[in-house]
Amino acid sequence: MMCVAFVFAAACAFGKNVENLELRHASSDEIFVSWDSASDDEIPVLLNGEKCESVGENAGKSNSLVSSLREEFYGYYDGKFEEVAGRKMIRTRRNFYKFSGLESSTEYKVNVGGSEISVKTQSAGKVLDVTKFGAVPGELVSVKAIEKNTKAIQKAIKKCQKNGTVLVPEGVFACGSIKLKSDMTLKIDGVLKSSPFAENYDFGFLMYKYYTDKRYFGLINADGAKNIRIVGSGTVDGNGWKYASSNGKPTEGNAFSSYKKENDSGSFVFPLFASASKKNVHERGILASSCAEKYLEGIGKTRESASEEELKFAFSSRSTMVIIRNSSGIFIEGLSFVNPANHTINILDSENISVTGIKVHSFNCANGDGVGLICSQNAWIWNNFFDTGDDSVVFSAGVGKAASTTGEKGVSNVRIFGNHFRNGHGGVAFGSHTALGISGVSIHDNIFNWSNIPFRVKSNPANGGEVCDVKCFRNAMGDVYQTFLLSTDYKDGSTASTYGKADTPAVFHDVEISDCDIYRARQNTYLLYAEKGYPHHHIKFSGVTFVVFHDDEMGEVTNASECDFSGVKTFVVE
């Protein structure tokens, strides 16, 4: 106790070294908080006056993969960066904490670095095991068998009382579309595996009200719900695609396949799925193939008789794993999400969203986005791992003139921090759907490794809108391609003809990029492109350091005004 008192006194003696200590989420037995600070692991954390484990130790327990890859990243890149730039790479901070094993309906005092808040845990509801309602684990090979499992899990959800939990225990449970309701937790400690049959999913999902391409609903769905939690130590398996060999084609007998990058230690396995298009989805897909085939069947066509346009719509009809709409108080934590047939998690027209501690494995999956925020507000995404086949975190805010007819809002007030991004077309991507605006986004203390474009702001002139009030700071990047891209030259040809051309192109402004270190940008260090007469403006770079090789391209700017690139320092390895 003397040690505890000393730590607390030391924190108070020098004043608060933490600002904006905030509650992110509280359940019946856990509390999640975040803050802003000038340091990382040495910040003292106390619960009801008692000293807790360090921030670094706690982050490692909350997502051991992110913590381990952080160590590997700095172990590999620090020396290379220092050899050229004369210092080690900037250190990302872990300004978040998870308190576990707490009592329900109990008030706790959380103190971080001298700042203190009081938090009361929720009351605990009943736990309903899906096996008690008839769900059975194991390989289910028919639509009817999986339908029985789906109905059993849905029955458990229906019976779940306020603050209760529906538990998917150890084992592999095949399932079709289920729908969550308010004030409940779906806890997955086993594997919830998507049915390979499109018949087990509802059909008719539209990303926007004015869209014309209908899709299959997700494995996990919610609409109009409040206070929903999707958590656990298990896996959500989208069962979307076959595994891929090194040439990109499916492995023999769909045998498991993985891949490595040159800086991988070999301690972790990263699955490799088959890439595909509308032309070969039937050969390389599992659920993806079934969705496309069932769509064509529904319009009376086959692969051979369908037009190119019909094949495109069939391909886009694929199910997304998690679809949440018109909801608030969304908490997703701890799970692994693997192999989506389309996107992984889409959250639409919703607010107050937290995603933490998850692992997304969708590398090479067609359109395998990680977390999509569509016309949603107030979101925190932290301490996650993304290894994706498309954009890892993506914001969408409507397309063209049609967007203004729905009453929807744009994307706003989003904070993305403490994540590890691997691969992905975009690490954090804005657009190309920008019509209703994307604003108030903070991206900090993340690691990007092998990302095509870590910071990707894109739009098509027909989409319109704006991206503004964005801060990107204290991020470390290694072996990326185009590092910072802000362009309205994105090819999205059907927007104007289908949804009406916006009156003016999108404009990006008031964007600040600071204190970021990049070891090897293989293409442009930064690229800004705007339509003539509509320049991007007030884009500022400060404290941004690149180490590039002689064949790497430098920055390129077309149609920008009142921008400041004086804070960019570039070291060239000859």
Side-chain angles (χ1 to χ4, degrees), residues 512-527:
E512 184 175 349
I513 299 168
S514 61
D515 299 324
C516 293
D517 287 343
I518 304 94
Y519 181 84
R520 189 152 200 188
R522 293 170 180 259
Q523 292 183 21
N524 304 86
T525 51
Y526 56 85
L527 187 150

Side-chain angles (χ1 to χ4, degrees), residues 176-461:
S177 289
I178 58 173
K179 188 174 182 179
L180 307 184
K181 63 181 183 180
S182 295
D183 300 311
M184 70 160 289
T185 295
L186 175 64
K187 186 177 182 183
I188 302 168
D189 286 342
V191 178
L192 188 65
K193 187 171 184 176
S194 295
S195 165
F197 307 113
E199 293 91 331
N200 289 125
Y201 300 85
D202 299 328
F203 182 72
F205 169 74
L206 292 171
M207 184 171 175
Y208 302 113
K209 297 175 183 178
Y210 46 87
Y211 256 29
T212 54
D213 60 324
K214 292 183 179 180
R215 307 176 184 182
Y216 287 91
F217 276 85
L219 171 63
I220 301 171
N221 306 273
D223 193 342
K226 295 182 179 180
N227 304 322
I228 55 174
R229 291 164 32 90
I230 305 171
V231 304
S233 58
T235 298
V236 184
D237 184 347
N239 202 18
W241 304 95
K242 298 174 182 177
Y243 289 106
S245 56
S246 57
N247 63 9
K249 295 181 179 180
T251 57
E252 186 73 25
N254 196 30
F256 177 82
S257 177
S258 61
Y259 75 97
K260 287 181 66 176
K261 295 289 191 180
E262 64 186 55
N263 61 312
D264 285 344
S265 67
S267 300
F268 307 101
V269 176
F270 303 102
L272 179 65
F273 301 105
S275 61
S277 67
K278 64 183 180 182
K279 296 289 189 180
N280 59 18
V281 59
H282 59 285
E283 298 171 352
R284 301 186 176 191
I286 303 175
L287 174 58
S289 174
S290 182
C291 289
E293 293 287 344
K294 194 66 179 175
Y295 178 91
L296 291 175
E297 181 184 316
I299 62 172
K301 294 293 180 73
T302 64
R303 294 195 302 269
E304 293 73 27
S305 65
S307 67
E308 288 295 310
E309 186 76 358
E310 288 165 339
L311 288 173
K312 183 185 79 171
F313 280 122
F315 187 63
S316 68
S317 73
R318 292 164 290 132
S319 169
T320 285
M321 289 172 69
V322 179
I323 300 176
I324 300 173
R325 176 165 246 154
N326 298 319
S327 298
S328 64
I330 301 157
F331 185 75
I332 302 174
E333 189 257 344
L335 294 162
S336 294
F337 293 85
V338 303
N339 196 12
N342 201 337
H343 302 159
T344 305
I345 299 170
N346 274 349
I347 302 175
L348 309 93
D349 307 305
S350 297
E351 62 182 4
N352 302 329
I353 302 152
S354 292
V355 181
T356 181
I358 70 170
K359 284 78 66 179
V360 177
H361 294 275
S362 65
F363 184 55
N364 258 13
C365 296
N367 308 110
D369 292 346
V371 174
L373 298 178
I374 299 101
C375 298
S376 293
Q377 304 81 41
N378 306 330
W380 292 265
I381 300 172
W382 76 96
N383 199 26
N384 303 292
F385 171 76
F386 297 95
D387 184 17
T388 61
D390 207 316
D391 296 326
S392 296
V393 175
V394 58
F395 311 130
S396 299
V399 295
K401 223 164 201 178
S404 62
T405 66
T406 65
E408 290 177 297
K409 301 176 184 178
V411 176
S412 63
N413 190 25
V414 181
R415 185 176 174 188
I416 300 168
F417 57 106
N419 303 287
H420 190 103
F421 294 93
R422 178 183 172 98
N423 294 308
H425 296 175
V428 179
F430 300 68
S432 63
H433 299 178
T434 54
L436 298 175
I438 302 168
S439 63
V441 178
S442 178
I443 304 162
H444 65 90
D445 294 296
N446 303 286
I447 289 175
F448 298 85
N449 199 192
W450 299 103
S451 301
N452 284 5
I453 310 169
F455 183 83
R456 188 185 194 193
V457 186
K458 55 180 178 171
S459 185
N460 178 272

Side-chain angles (χ1 to χ4, degrees), residues 51-109:
K51 184 182 178 182
C52 301
E53 64 190 351
S54 73
V55 171
E57 290 173 325
N58 184 265
K61 290 180 180 178
S62 299
N63 195 331
S64 60
L65 181 58
V66 169
S67 185
S68 297
L69 289 177
R70 181 180 187 265
E71 291 184 17
E72 285 193 5
F73 178 88
Y74 285 118
Y76 183 82
Y77 286 104
D78 256 348
K80 294 177 180 292
F81 190 88
E82 186 175 22
E83 185 177 348
V84 182
R87 60 173 177 82
K88 294 181 179 180
M89 297 188 82
I90 193 165
R91 283 304 186 267
T92 57
R93 299 172 189 166
R94 293 173 284 195
N95 295 345
F96 49 86
Y97 207 93
K98 173 184 177 180
F99 300 91
S100 303
L102 308 180
E103 297 293 326
S104 63
S105 303
T106 301
E107 187 165 309
Y108 290 89
K109 292 190 180 299

Side-chain angles (χ1 to χ4, degrees), residues 458-523:
K458 55 180 178 171
S459 185
N460 178 272
N463 282 341
E466 65 177 353
V467 174
C468 63
D469 187 21
V470 177
K471 296 184 185 300
C472 176
F473 61 95
R474 216 164 46 232
N475 298 292
M477 309 178 190
D479 281 297
V480 299
Y481 291 84
Q482 288 179 301
T483 314
F484 302 104
L485 172 71
L486 300 93
S487 175
T488 50
D489 192 32
Y490 187 75
K491 306 304 180 188
D492 193 9
S494 64
T495 299
S497 59
T498 307
Y499 307 114
K501 185 178 181 180
D503 293 333
T504 60
V507 173
F508 311 146
H509 62 93
D510 294 286
V511 177
E512 184 175 349
I513 299 168
S514 61
D515 299 324
C516 293
D517 287 343
I518 304 94
Y519 181 84
R520 189 152 200 188
R522 293 170 180 259
Q523 292 183 21

